[in-house]
Amino acid sequence: MELAALASAAIPDLSPTGVVGSPDDPRDFSAAVVFDRQGSRWRVRSPLHEEAAMRLETELQVLSGFTPGIRAGLPFRVPSVAGAVRLDGMRTFVYHDMPGEEMELEDLTELGGKTPDDIGRVIAAVHALPAAVVENADLPVYTADQFRQRRLNELDQAATTGRIPAVLLRRWENALEEMELWDFSPVVAHGDLHEDNLLVDQARLVSVTGWTDLHIGDPAEDFAWLASSGNQEFTDQVVTAYWQHRSGGTIQDGHLLRRAVLAAEFALAQWLVRGIAADDEEMAAEAEAMLQELEADVEEHGGQVISAAPAGSSAGRAATEPATPPVKPAVAPSVGATAAPAVAPAVDPAAREQGVAAASTAEPADDAGDGTGEDDAVITDHAPSADPDGTDDEPEAGQSVHDAAGEGAEQGPRPDELAADEAESGHPSEAEAPEEAEDHAEAPHPEGPPTTALDLDEVRQLDIRRTTNPS
């Protein structure tokens, strides 16, 4: 009930009639959906510590940069903040609720139909966002080499824990030292893309949440969750759709999936570091156990290929895929991440890209059945919501085994890094235009409040002091 009271304080006209819990990371946020007399739903997120509060402030900056013009051109909906109230020095945010529900990764990959195309289209649209959305929010901008160097620095930090198997450290370092692998064009990347931040309604992807880690960097980061899904056919379909929507079917990054696999594996090390930094031994032990499973798979089978070197070299091996790591290490297995890694057959990412190239040459499907060859629109922006994402604490700096300098070991950019980030920005192409109006009728399109980005000065700044224990 405390969250309902906070919602009323942030939005004076809101008269709560009910409240239900909302999925979120319990380590970082208290969250609920509040119902009012008009039948509207409002998502409330209250940070539990300073780092979580900083993430919400970052998201407010990002969402304010999604102008009406940008929102109208996106094939998905983006949350918007309706109000905020300050409690114990940290702001609780109230968001317009959006339609759609989270789905487990396995269920999402089994939806079939237009789901792979929806996901590919969404990732392509994110990567085509204007660089100004990132730059105006003072979020990190990396060149390809700066991003690679940042990963090396994170590897150094992880190595200082003494709890990561040496075979994995060597495996990751070999890939990071291969310059060919890191020849990519930086794009606007979501940075925390996974199934929990994709909302589905009537088997269509309608909304994307969790915008706290937006930055300009490696596009492969937004594919890491798919690289570890264990469903190769689904992943290939998404990648084919991505290149179709991004570049008309032309593959512009032959090593994208290799780096995505590396990111999925390295997420376990980042999870371990976060657990240690938070003095959460249970979280650290879970990450360490999964690292040991991955080590066993690599030693027995060679692991999935993450190197650009030819097969048979020390840096390039292929057999079966490693134990599937969670792609959101900020969430412990008990609250949403994979409890036990699945084992799936490995496929050489180079072979995948060749298959994608062949598939991309085919004519686009005529989803509407009207003979036009145009596929249906997914959705355009209307009602907004909040993001149920995890967080990534920044661990303490450790002794580096590399000479180069860079950010510490954390997953995703943090606002406290921003002053140190002086990098060249990427220039992604403009977002795709909305599909024909008649196509929109097929996708779910519930009514909702307008989604004009909220000006920062319009967010209410009420200051409430807690006098009793929350109920």
Side-chain angles (χ1 to χ4, degrees):
M1 294 306 295
E2 180 183 20
L3 292 180
L6 290 174
S8 297
I11 305 175
D13 294 335
L14 191 156
S15 299
T17 59
V19 57
V20 296
S22 177
D24 216 320
D25 186 349
R27 289 185 173 91
D28 300 305
F29 303 103
S30 252
V33 173
V34 176
F35 301 86
D36 65 16
R37 292 177 180 174
Q38 288 73 41
S40 299
R41 292 157 47 106
W42 309 84
R43 181 95 187 282
V44 186
R45 301 186 80 202
S46 184
L48 299 178
H49 51 76
E50 290 292 340
E51 194 273 341
M54 188 178 299
R55 288 175 64 83
L56 292 185
E57 297 290 343
T58 296
E59 182 174 57
L60 176 62
Q61 293 281 347
V62 171
L63 296 179
S64 296
F66 281 97
T67 64
I70 291 175
R71 288 172 181 259
L74 294 174
F76 54 85
R77 300 176 183 175
V78 178
S80 65
V81 175
V85 59
R86 192 172 297 277
L87 173 65
D88 294 340
M90 299 182 293
R91 292 205 294 179
T92 292
F93 286 90
V94 180
Y95 302 78
H96 296 286
D97 193 48
M98 291 189 295
E101 302 291 338
E102 301 170 8
M103 296 188 68
E104 295 291 338
L105 180 56
E106 182 178 358
D107 296 333
L108 184 66
T109 59
E110 291 179 354
L111 274 181
K114 297 181 180 180
T115 303
D117 187 75
D118 282 359
I119 297 175
R121 184 196 300 251
V122 161
I123 299 177
V126 172
H127 293 178
L129 283 168
V133 173
V134 173
E135 296 166 348
N136 292 343
D138 290 329
L139 293 173
V141 176
Y142 300 104
T143 65
D145 189 63
Q146 287 170 337
F147 191 88
R148 182 187 71 89
Q149 188 60 62
R150 180 169 178 266
R151 278 285 184 264
L152 281 169
N153 295 333
E154 291 178 327
L155 181 64
D156 294 337
Q157 178 64 40
T160 65
T161 66
R163 298 172 67 171
I164 297 180
V167 66
L168 298 182
L169 293 174
R170 289 193 300 270
R171 170 180 169 84
W172 298 336
E173 184 171 22
N174 286 341
L176 286 166
E177 294 290 358
E178 288 189 31
M179 301 304 295
E180 178 185 352
L181 194 67
W182 301 92
D183 183 16
F184 65 83
S185 297
V187 299
V188 175
H190 183 280
D192 192 30
L193 200 64
H194 50 78
E195 66 276 14
D196 287 353
N197 285 333
L198 302 176
L199 303 185
V200 178
D201 188 18
Q202 299 179 34
R204 301 302 301 274
L205 200 164
V206 295
S207 309
V208 179
T209 62
W211 296 91
T212 61
D213 294 320
L214 198 72
H215 64 284
I216 292 177
D218 187 0
E221 280 199 296
D222 289 341
F223 290 88
W225 66 291
L226 287 168
S228 62
S229 70
N231 189 325
Q232 189 58 53
E233 180 181 3
F234 185 85
T235 298
D236 289 343
Q237 290 173 345
V238 171
V239 173
T240 298
Y242 170 77
W243 287 120
Q244 189 63 47
H245 292 291
R246 182 78 177 130
S247 59
T250 302
I251 296 176
Q252 300 177 335
D253 183 351
H255 301 302
L256 182 143
L257 284 178
R258 296 180 190 270
R259 298 195 311 277
V261 172
L262 173 62
E265 291 185 7
F266 193 62
L268 292 176
Q270 294 169 315
W271 191 9
L272 172 67
V273 169
R274 187 195 175 202
I276 293 173
D279 199 25
D280 187 338
E281 182 54 34
E282 180 181 0
M283 178 180 177
E286 289 172 336
E288 188 172 16
M290 299 185 80
L291 283 164
Q292 290 170 354
E293 289 187 45
L294 177 58
E295 175 194 24
D297 181 83
V298 169
E299 289 186 327
E300 182 176 356
H301 303 291
Q304 192 170 352
V305 173
I306 60 174
S307 170
S313 69
S314 60
R317 291 173 270 178
T320 54
E321 187 178 27
T324 303
V327 296
K328 188 164 67 76
V331 178
S334 60
V335 292
T338 305
V343 177
V347 178
D348 188 334
R352 294 183 198 172
E353 296 292 357
Q354 293 174 1
V356 170
S360 298
T361 60
E363 293 294 327
D366 182 8
D367 296 331
D370 55 9
T372 64
E374 295 182 359
D375 51 4
D376 294 342
V378 178
I379 208 73
T380 52
D381 186 62
H382 279 278
S385 179
D387 71 287
D389 63 335
T391 65
D392 304 283
D393 292 340
E394 181 178 353
E396 298 179 1
Q399 181 179 0
S400 173
V401 296
H402 294 279
D403 293 331
E407 292 73 20
E410 75 280 359
Q411 180 180 353
R414 286 289 168 270
D416 53 359
E417 301 176 12
L418 306 183
D421 288 317
E422 298 178 356
E424 299 178 1
S425 65
H427 297 285
S429 60
E430 294 183 357
E432 297 178 341
E435 302 290 340
E436 295 295 331
E438 58 266 29
D439 291 338
H440 283 274
E442 181 172 328
H445 214 152
E447 294 295 332
T451 57
T452 301
L454 187 66
D455 188 287
L456 299 184
D457 294 333
E458 296 177 4
V459 177
R460 295 175 56 83
Q461 301 287 332
L462 299 181
D463 195 344
I464 297 179
R465 303 292 179 180
R466 193 193 307 270
T467 58
T468 60
N469 292 328
S471 56

